[in-house]
Amino acid sequence: MAKIAPVLLLILMGLHLLKPLGLPGLKRRSDFWKIAVTAIAVMMLTVLLQAHTGY
């Protein structure tokens, strides 16, 4: 999960720049930063869960 999520989110950002996804809040190409903020939050959550479980 820790290695797959960043790659998938980068691909999603690239696709959104080519053609907007049309999801609520992601209607314009300039909204790709919202995907980046989500990516940072997902990575922080992954690190937090790994630190908590001692894995």
Side-chain angles (χ1 to χ4, degrees):
M1 175 74 181
K3 295 179 183 179
I4 296 172
V7 173
L8 289 177
L9 288 166
L10 283 173
I11 291 170
L12 189 65
M13 285 175 67
L15 288 174
H16 185 74
L17 283 173
L18 294 175
K19 182 178 183 234
L21 300 173
L23 299 171
L26 296 173
K27 302 256 185 214
R28 294 177 296 183
R29 286 186 176 141
S30 61
D31 290 336
F32 78 98
W33 67 269
K34 294 176 184 177
I35 300 171
V37 170
T38 303
I40 292 169
V42 166
M43 286 186 257
M44 286 175 48
L45 183 63
T46 303
V47 170
L48 181 70
L49 289 173
Q50 285 180 351
H52 179 65
T53 59
Y55 185 54

